Amino acid sequence: MRGTKKYSHVIDTPDPGKWELAGYESTLPITEKSNPITRELDRADPGQIVQLLRDCDAEIFQEEDQALVNYQRLYSEMVLKTMMDIIGKVQEVLKEPENTLIVLSGGGASGRMAFLMAVSFNKLLKGLGQPPQYTYLIAGGDRCLVASQEGHEDSALLGIEDLNKVCEGKKKVIFFGISCGLSAPYVAGQLDFCMNNLDIYTPVLVGFNPVSMARSEKIEGFHSSFRQVAERMEKLQETHQAFVLNPAVGPEGVAGSSRMKGGSATKILLETLLLAAHKTVSKDGEVSEKCLLEILRTYERAHKVTYSQSKKIAALVKQAGTSLQKKAYVYLVGWHTLGIIAIMDGAECVPTFGADLNDVRGFLIGDRSEMFNREADLVAQGPKFAFSEEDFVKSILPSLTEQDTVLFLFTMDDNLAEVEKLAIQVKERTSNIHALSHATVGQYLPASLKKLIPSIISITWPILFLEYEGNFIQRFQRELSTKWILNTVSTGAHVLKGKILRNYMVDLRVSNAKLFERAVAILQRFTGDTRAKCREALLQVVYHPEQLSQELRAAPVSKHVARATDQVQVVPTALLCLLRHCAVPEARARLDAAPSLRAALDAALSAPGRKRGPDQPQPEEQRT
Ligand SMILES: C[C@](O)(c1cnc(-c2ccc(S(=O)(=O)c3ccc(N)nc3)s2)c(Cl)c1)C(F)(F)F
């Protein structure tokens, strides 16, 4: 059913999908739902994987459809108006830099996007000869920019402590709390703190669920749930003292993996808002809805331009999948901010796919001064989190093999001699080198580089005739394009490795409260058993061989998470216990004996009486 579209769009956004239908998993938060587009993701070939994820990303730009359940979307009147109201507040701060601050904050991938945007807009201010006015916070500190540690987002008090630290002495602060699912306690604490200090703070909640779907469970060690905090924010929005910016963008291609659409939508939403604020402050003009639409359209164009390279992206997915299947590695080597995006994508594979730290790793080539709040925290991570050019040359190059995949990420404005020099060093070890290069119309790759790296995805962007801030739109488009491609390559590679069942990452690491709930929900989805029975099975595995006492069952989720975080295959083991009605040791033995996780689960799922119906995956068939 083609929706009624209010605006002309650059891309052919998919018709409203099944997930907008009122009955579809209606109680589930949109961000946690399974996206119908990718329900057969685990059986797709590389080309199909790219198409499916492309269509999921396109849902970000889909307009509200009155005919279906009415979720506000990116282009909805209410969202655009809220953006305009927030811009007014940002302009006030930008005009009065003394003792004011704009803070972007989040846990995990949201914190990484916060970091990326704070770096970008401080660079924009520097180019205008102005002092930095942005800073970022990520749950767990700078080390979590390069190494994912999912547990830190569970502390509301840690969020308050971090916010207090960076805002000391400030008289006016705009705080952007980013939580894609409206669920991170770290952000809930910060928003609540802002609402208790409205003389200094203007809090903005950024996420992609309606407030009615914000997490309602009580937060351990805190007086409110995320839902209660969000409802209080909504109330304060009536008097422009707080704002909720939460368009629906649709479920993730891999259920709950908010690093993908959630991260991209965060970047699109906040870069558009902040860029519009800067554009109008420097021209002392009024921001208009037209200006917002113009910027949003450049991101839609970035989607169209990026996925016009789908065939080459699919070849990269296949190549990276082959490396992982052979227990070899994928190295993402990016220049400047493309290197930051590379590092983030690699780090996110660990919690998302249970990947080893080395499976997909990003490296940053070029100057990284003025980036990190506390770089010492990063470098102090030790060699396993090394991400510099020196680390790549010294500790990776010598051990590169033909099975590894190396992907360079650069723009034609970077030092191409430096790119060529490093490419030559890589070629001495392997011919398996690929590249993604961004150019502006009129820039061409040197023949020598094309000869060195035969498979280059070369994206040419139209010249945007926009004033100073416009140059940043170029940069933001290239970053988003690179993020989309890397997300697709790393996700696709893990699909081909057999880590995904339908579009669920069943073997998730239970390393925070949200992931604990997701684990229980996935068990319910694949067994049809009650939540109580699934939760019991999960706890049996987590505490095995300890017998489950009433006390343990009633313990706080943080205790279960602490016990489960370092365990492997907890959810698949619990799933087998439920499906085969067996004890933990037998389930573990079956997993160990099976050629792959999927084979073990498929066998159990296709046991007599079970079929891959609307909610049951079919046994694995050879991918075409
Ligand atoms: C889609 C699915 O049913 C599902 C996935 N995840 C979940 C959840 C994951 C995390 C939660 S949660 O932490 O309680 C949460 C997270 C966000 C939010 N707004 N509200 C609640 S629910 C649910 Cl309820 C269902 C499936 F199949 F994956 F299990």
Side-chain angles (χ1 to χ4, degrees), residues 79 168 232 262 297 342-343 363 526 595:
V79 171
E168 204 168 332
R232 194 176 158 206
R297 198 152 286 119
I343 292 166
F363 292 85
F526 279 92

Side-chain angles (χ1 to χ4, degrees), residues 217-507:
E217 280 80 9
K218 188 178 173 319
I219 294 168
E220 270 181 63
F222 199 61
H223 45 69
S224 304
S225 67
F226 202 108
R227 171 95 53 91
Q228 288 166 321
V229 169
E231 286 167 346
R232 194 176 158 206
M233 290 280 291
E234 256 186 339
K235 188 75 189 128
L236 285 167
Q237 182 153 350
E238 292 166 11
T239 51
H240 282 195
Q241 292 175 286
F243 299 93
V244 180
L245 198 47
N246 60 331
V249 295
E252 297 288 350
V254 173
S257 179
S258 58
R259 77 186 190 108
M260 298 174 79
K261 290 168 74 175
S264 303
T266 300
K267 200 170 183 299
I268 293 165
L269 197 59
L270 292 186
E271 285 174 351
T272 299
L273 187 156
L274 295 172
L275 212 47
H278 281 272
K279 268 176 82 171
T280 40
V281 159
S282 57
K283 285 171 33 185
D284 203 18
E286 278 305 303
V287 69
S288 65
E289 193 176 284
K290 179 175 173 292
C291 167
L292 289 181
L293 293 171
E294 180 188 279
I295 299 172
L296 287 172
R297 198 152 286 119
T298 62
Y299 285 104
E300 278 202 58
R301 200 172 296 119
H303 182 277
K304 186 181 181 97
V305 168
T306 300
Y307 284 102
S308 69
Q309 302 284 342
S310 286
K311 271 183 84 174
K312 289 188 173 181
I313 298 170
L316 263 184
V317 166
K318 184 174 172 62
Q319 181 51 57
T322 302
S323 290
L324 294 188
Q325 284 160 343
K326 292 179 174 175
K327 304 254 185 289
Y329 302 115
V330 178
Y331 297 111
L332 312 170
V333 182
W335 270 257
H336 303 116
T337 47
L338 302 189
I340 294 180
I341 292 169
I343 292 166
M344 293 175 175
D345 195 271
E348 286 156 7
C349 288
V350 174
T352 308
F353 304 109
D356 179 82
L357 204 105
N358 295 307
D359 289 349
V360 181
R361 265 182 81 176
F363 292 85
L364 165 61
I365 311 293
D367 174 41
R368 64 177 191 241
S369 62
E370 294 171 31
M371 273 190 185
F372 305 108
N373 278 348
R374 291 163 294 284
E375 182 170 335
D377 288 3
L378 283 180
V379 181
Q381 287 296 324
K384 65 176 181 171
F385 298 111
F387 58 84
S388 72
E389 175 177 7
E390 187 191 2
D391 300 316
F392 179 73
V393 172
K394 283 193 174 158
S395 59
I396 301 299
L397 260 181
S399 56
L400 262 185
T401 72
E402 277 299 333
Q403 278 67 44
D404 296 328
T405 297
V406 179
L407 174 59
F408 275 21
L409 310 152
F410 58 89
T411 77
M412 296 297 286
D413 302 325
D414 291 321
N415 179 338
L416 298 185
E418 190 181 64
V419 174
E420 206 158 312
K421 178 170 173 273
L422 195 55
I424 290 167
Q425 289 176 277
V426 168
K427 291 281 286 203
E428 284 162 12
R429 308 291 309 176
T430 174
S431 60
N432 199 353
I433 178 172
H434 310 267
L436 165 62
S437 90
H438 297 280
T440 309
V441 168
Q443 289 181 320
Y444 300 97
L445 276 166
S448 55
L449 201 49
K450 282 199 274 192
K451 191 161 178 292
L452 255 178
I453 310 176
S455 65
I456 292 186
I457 298 178
S458 175
I459 297 182
T460 301
W461 299 94
I463 294 177
L464 294 172
F465 294 101
L466 294 156
E467 57 287 349
Y468 170 68
E469 289 81 358
N471 303 331
F472 281 81
I473 292 185
Q474 278 280 17
R475 170 197 173 118
F476 295 157
Q477 278 186 323
R478 293 167 173 194
E479 288 173 359
L480 183 60
S481 175
T482 302
K483 177 182 185 291
W484 271 328
I485 291 174
L486 292 187
N487 286 172
T488 298
V489 169
S490 57
T491 297
H494 283 94
V495 169
L496 296 175
K497 188 182 176 184
K499 301 293 279 184
I500 300 295
L501 202 51
R502 277 191 59 212
N503 56 6
Y504 303 104
M505 178 54 206
V506 173
D507 188 15

Side-chain angles (χ1 to χ4, degrees), residues 7 31 36 39 71 90 105 151 153 166 191 204 232 344 370-371 421 534 551 566 570:
Y7 301 105
T31 56
R39 61 180 302 129
Y71 296 123
V90 171
S105 171
E153 75 166 50
V166 293
L191 293 170
V204 182
R232 194 176 158 206
M344 293 175 175
E370 294 171 31
M371 273 190 185
K421 178 170 173 273
C534 293
E551 188 194 359
D566 297 330
V570 167

Side-chain angles (χ1 to χ4, degrees), residues 28-29 32-34 181-183 209 213-215 217 504 514 517-518 521-522 525:
L28 294 190
E32 309 309 319
K33 289 176 189 268
S34 150
L182 270 56
S183 61
N209 279 318
M213 291 184 177
R215 186 140 192 249
E217 280 80 9
Y504 303 104
K514 182 173 75 170
E517 296 301 335
R518 184 176 301 153
I522 284 180
R525 177 59 59 98

